[in-house]
Amino acid sequence: NAGVTQTPKFQVLKTGQSMTLQCAQDMNHEYMSWYRQDPGMGLRLIHYSVGAGITDQGEVPNGYNVSRSTTEDFPLRLLSAAPSQTSVYFCASSYGGRPLVGEQYFGPGTRLTVT
Amino acid sequence: GQQVMQIPQYQHVQEGEDFTTYCNSSTTLSNIQWYKQRPGGHPVFLIQLVKSGEVKKQKRLTFQFGEAKKNSSLHITATQTTDVGTYFCAGPRETSGSRLTFGEGTQLTVNP
C-alpha cells in the first residue's frame, strides 16, 4: 500500500492564481481531511469528509474548496491564492469519522509559497 | 470554539532526563490522540486514549487521560536523541466527533 500520497511536494504561486492540491489514499478509509501547518500554530483543520459525497468545513475553510467524488481522492482547491495561504498542507485519512474520528494517517505534505 | 492548548511550547533536555508535555481542552473530549512529528516530516500517530483516567505505556512513553476527559499528558522517561521532534495532542469534541482539533505542539530537543 502506498498509504496517503500528496502532489505536488512543492509549489510556488503568484497572488491570484488558482491551483489544486491532490490527495489520494489506498486504504479504503472513509474519513479524509486537510490541514495547514504554520510555525507555532500546530495543525489547523481546513475541510474534512466522512465519506464519498460528503464534505464539511473545519476551522479555517475560507479560500479553499473541496470535493469527494470517490473514496480514494480528496483534492483541495485554492480559488485565488493569497500570501496568507503560504503554508505546509497535510492531507490525512482514517477509518471511521462517524461518530468518532480515529487514528490519522498523514501524507508527506505540500509546501506552498504564494508570492 | 473548542481550544486545545499544550504546554510547554518548547522543551530542551539533556539526554537521559525526563520530559512531560501537557494538553488541556476547553471542552470534554471523546478521545485524545497523540502524534509525533520529526523535523521536516509529517505527523505520525502514537496512541489513542478513550476512557476517563486511562493510562497507557509504550516502552519509555506514558500517556494519561484525565478523569474529566479534558486534559492529557505524555511523559518520556530517560530521553534519547531519537525522541527529538514535536509532540501534538488532538481530540474530537464530544458533541462533534468528526472534527479533530490539534494542540499547538511541544517541540522537544535533546542534547546528547
Side-chain angles (χ1 to χ4, degrees):
Chain A
N1 286 353
V4 179
T5 57
Q6 289 184 241
T7 55
K9 284 190 169 53
F10 301 94
Q11 183 70 49
V12 179
L13 289 178
K14 289 187 173 16
T15 297
Q17 287 184 316
S18 63
M19 79 158 295
T20 300
L21 307 186
Q22 301 292 345
C23 174
Q25 53 91 10
D26 60 359
M27 298 173 282
N28 203 31
H29 285 168
E30 290 186 337
Y31 185 91
M32 295 186 74
S33 54
W34 277 101
Y35 295 89
R36 60 176 289 173
Q37 185 173 36
D38 303 296
M41 298 189 74
L43 293 140
R44 291 185 292 168
L45 182 65
I46 305 172
H47 285 286
Y48 66 98
S49 168
V50 297
I54 306 169
T55 64
D56 208 345
Q57 295 182 348
E59 300 172 66
V60 289
N62 292 342
Y64 308 95
N65 272 359
V66 291
S67 60
R68 185 94 180 270
S69 55
T70 67
T71 299
E72 295 78 18
D73 301 297
F74 191 44
L76 177 73
R77 280 181 286 279
L78 279 70
L79 309 173
S80 177
S84 60
Q85 293 179 304
T86 293
S87 189
V88 180
Y89 290 84
F90 288 103
C91 178
S93 72
S94 74
Y95 294 107
R98 289 176 289 196
L100 295 180
V101 59
E103 171 187 351
Q104 300 292 297
Y105 294 76
F106 282 85
T110 294
R111 189 173 295 273
L112 176 68
T113 302
V114 183
T115 62
Chain B
Q2 179 192 21
Q3 286 188 313
V4 176
M5 291 149 289
Q6 268 185 268
I7 54 170
Q9 190 174 359
Y10 302 98
Q11 185 77 59
H12 309 284
V13 300
Q14 285 297 124
E15 191 170 20
E17 290 182 340
D18 291 357
F19 159 75
T20 305
T21 172
Y22 300 91
C23 179
N24 293 289
S25 171
S26 57
T27 59
T28 303
L29 299 170
S30 54
N31 68 73
I32 190 87
Q33 300 172 18
W34 285 91
Y35 293 80
K36 177 182 178 182
Q37 184 178 25
R38 293 184 188 273
H42 58 275
V44 174
F45 176 82
L46 293 176
I47 206 160
Q48 178 174 281
L49 304 172
V50 179
K51 297 179 184 174
S52 168
E54 190 169 14
V55 177
K56 286 189 176 180
K57 292 192 176 185
Q58 288 180 350
K59 296 184 182 177
R60 295 179 293 105
L61 277 61
T62 302
F63 304 85
Q64 288 189 301
F65 198 11
E67 294 289 341
K69 300 181 79 173
K70 294 178 77 172
N71 57 70
S72 181
S73 65
L74 158 59
H75 179 82
I76 302 178
T77 304
T79 54
Q80 300 174 358
T81 54
T82 53
D83 295 325
V84 164
T86 301
Y87 292 84
F88 293 97
C89 63
R93 253 189 300 195
E94 201 160 53
T95 54
S96 175
S98 297
R99 287 179 58 147
L100 199 61
T101 300
F102 277 78
E104 293 167 352
T106 296
Q107 186 175 322
L108 172 66
T109 56
V110 180
N111 297 324

